[in-house]
Amino acid sequence: MEVAMTIARIMDPSPGQEFYDPCCGSGGLLIKANLRFKEKYSSDFTVAPLKFYGQEILATTYAMAKMNVFIHDMEADIALGDTMLRPAFLNEDGSLKKFDCVVANPMWNQKFAESVYEGDQYNRFIFGYPPSSSADWGWIQHMFASLNEKGKMAVVIDTGAVSRGSGNEGRNRERDIRKEFVEGDFVEAVLLLPENLFYNTTAPGVIIVINKSKRDERKGQILLINASKLFKKG
């Protein structure tokens, strides 16, 4: 919950924006974005509401997400299916729909066959194919491809996603993909999180913030935040 609220504050939603989570689970990141929006604009009934889109592969979790967005009175389109193989939100010409904001906490280090990337028809993996041992940068590239030209995204991912392959001689797939994001000046910030925040792992994780349209004062810079001690146990 605290990580989701942190992401909502980082994304700082504005009226009329469209939010997307490609692996939305029960909808937590989308709901927290909506709560942050209401926190900012609850007294102003003239502002345009947010629109939410999510896709989830597990039928039971998908049903929970549908229920949750209904309970929170959100304008949301939640789809059931495999985002990597069959993304649900497309334009009329078959291309990926683009969003203002993309947020996600995908399962870390998923193992996908290289055919998933090689057979892609949506031009998502332009910076390279991730290794079969970890789809972290596959998810990040899908999110990036789903951003409009001024879009911003935040992803919670394994710390190894920002370090694996560093210092290796020769080619390393994850390092080479990271390099493309850094040299393209898309990475706005990386936050190192505390340990023991997640139910299924004690590992700390990081939040990577990627912005296709950095403010002028942020261009050429990456903000690195060590938040590993900035917490209270509860």
Side-chain angles (χ1 to χ4, degrees), residues 1-11 191 193 207:
M1 181 181 293
E2 288 76 11
V3 174
M5 204 65 222
T6 299
I7 287 179
R9 291 181 177 277
I10 289 170
M11 299 306 290
L191 292 80
L193 297 171
I207 298 174

Side-chain angles (χ1 to χ4, degrees), residues 25-188:
S26 58
L29 291 177
L30 299 178
I31 289 167
K32 291 301 186 293
N34 186 54
L35 292 175
R36 173 58 179 159
F37 181 77
K38 287 185 173 181
E39 187 178 76
K40 291 174 64 181
Y41 299 106
S42 60
S43 60
D44 188 348
F45 298 103
T46 65
V47 301
L50 302 178
K51 294 182 180 179
F52 298 95
Y53 300 80
Q55 186 164 352
E56 171 55 35
I57 194 171
L58 299 176
T60 303
T61 317
Y62 154 80
M64 292 172 63
K66 293 275 284 186
M67 178 184 67
N68 280 336
V69 297
F70 175 77
I71 289 171
H72 287 84
D73 194 25
M74 295 163 59
E75 188 175 336
D77 187 348
I78 307 297
L80 176 64
D82 187 328
T83 298
M84 278 296 182
L85 295 178
R86 292 175 296 278
F89 302 106
L90 305 174
N91 298 312
E92 291 184 0
D93 62 0
S95 61
L96 286 180
K97 179 175 171 60
K98 309 289 186 179
F99 301 93
D100 302 296
C101 300
V102 182
V103 293
N105 181 9
M107 184 183 295
W108 301 353
N109 299 313
Q110 284 179 283
K111 294 173 174 57
F112 293 148
E114 191 159 309
S115 59
V116 170
Y117 310 114
E118 290 177 340
D120 181 61
Q121 59 183 304
Y122 305 104
N123 200 32
R124 291 178 289 180
F125 309 111
I126 58 174
F127 296 141
Y129 300 158
S132 58
S133 58
S134 174
D136 291 352
W137 284 97
W139 279 111
I140 292 170
Q141 287 189 89
H142 168 77
M143 295 173 68
F144 184 78
S146 301
L147 288 174
N148 62 32
E149 60 184 16
K150 293 186 177 181
K152 182 176 179 178
M153 58 172 272
V155 58
V156 186
I157 208 73
D158 177 26
T159 53
V162 296
S163 62
R164 283 189 294 263
S166 298
N168 280 10
E169 295 292 334
R171 288 186 55 79
N172 177 275
R173 291 189 182 189
E174 287 187 287
R175 182 198 62 196
D176 294 345
I177 295 170
R178 285 199 305 268
K179 183 178 179 182
E180 293 287 342
F181 275 90
V182 171
E183 292 186 347
D185 198 21
F186 298 122
V187 182
E188 186 163 54

Side-chain angles (χ1 to χ4, degrees), residues 187-191 207 209 214 218 221-226:
V187 182
E188 186 163 54
V190 180
L191 292 80
I207 298 174
V209 182
K214 286 185 180 180
R218 291 285 177 87
Q221 300 179 35
I222 299 175
L223 178 64
L224 303 176
I225 299 174
N226 181 358

